[in-house]
Amino acid sequence: CQDSFYASDSILRCHAETLTPATFTCEAQCAVPTVANAAAGGICKEAKDKIMPFTSCTTQCATGYTASATSLSCRNGGFSPATIACNPDPCPAPTGVEFHHKKGPCQDGSTITSGSTCVSQCLAGYTPSVASLACKAGTLTPATFQCVPNPCSIPDV
């Protein structure tokens, strides 16, 4: 193979005038892409700049993000899959909220999409300490809320 290219098979065997394997390919390394929200060391756990052909790298993202594929395979100077992204993780609804609504503490359900909010809900007679919690990359802000009992009204006599 020419400089900067690598053979698909490092050894060819000749037996009875027959090569095994019968053919091979020469391929270039794959340049590791820059991906938004990748881990500090880059999207590929095994290398920062280039990956050898015929190999794979394990993808890694920053905390709160998950890669759209678990690995990238290098063939013909390109990766498969061709594109990779670090997508923000959803947030689980807060736990341990006493007197939350029977359908759960969030109007949106038990999982909140990153970039949206958990609208707090309590049983009748209680008011949420905060109206909503923002979800960003797997983290709710604030992390939880309380269902505070409503004060009793004193009747006029």
Side-chain angles (χ1 to χ4, degrees), residues 99-125:
F99 309 111
H100 66 73
H101 193 275
K102 65 181 179 179
K103 292 184 179 178
C106 299
Q107 285 181 7
D108 305 327
S110 60
T111 303
I112 297 89
T113 304
S114 184
S116 62
T117 59
C118 157
V119 178
S120 309
Q121 59 181 3
C122 298
L123 290 172

Side-chain angles (χ1 to χ4, degrees), residues 7-13 18-26 54:
S8 57
D9 289 285
S10 58
I11 297 174
L12 298 176
R13 290 181 169 64
T18 302
L19 280 177
T20 305
T23 186
F24 67 95
T25 60
C26 294
F54 316 105

Side-chain angles (χ1 to χ4, degrees), residues 2-77:
Q2 296 177 352
D3 285 347
S4 301
F5 284 80
Y6 301 86
S8 57
D9 289 285
S10 58
I11 297 174
L12 298 176
R13 290 181 169 64
C14 178
H15 180 72
E17 298 182 6
T18 302
L19 280 177
T20 305
T23 186
F24 67 95
T25 60
C26 294
E27 295 187 12
Q29 292 179 325
C30 295
V32 175
T34 301
V35 176
N37 302 309
I43 191 68
C44 284
K45 190 175 187 178
E46 294 80 6
K48 190 171 180 99
D49 300 321
K50 293 186 179 194
I51 295 290
M52 295 294 288
F54 316 105
T55 64
S56 298
C57 79
T58 307
T59 57
Q60 58 182 5
C61 296
T63 301
Y65 294 84
T66 301
S68 57
T70 56
S71 66
L72 295 172
S73 299
C74 178
R75 289 302 311 263
N76 301 317

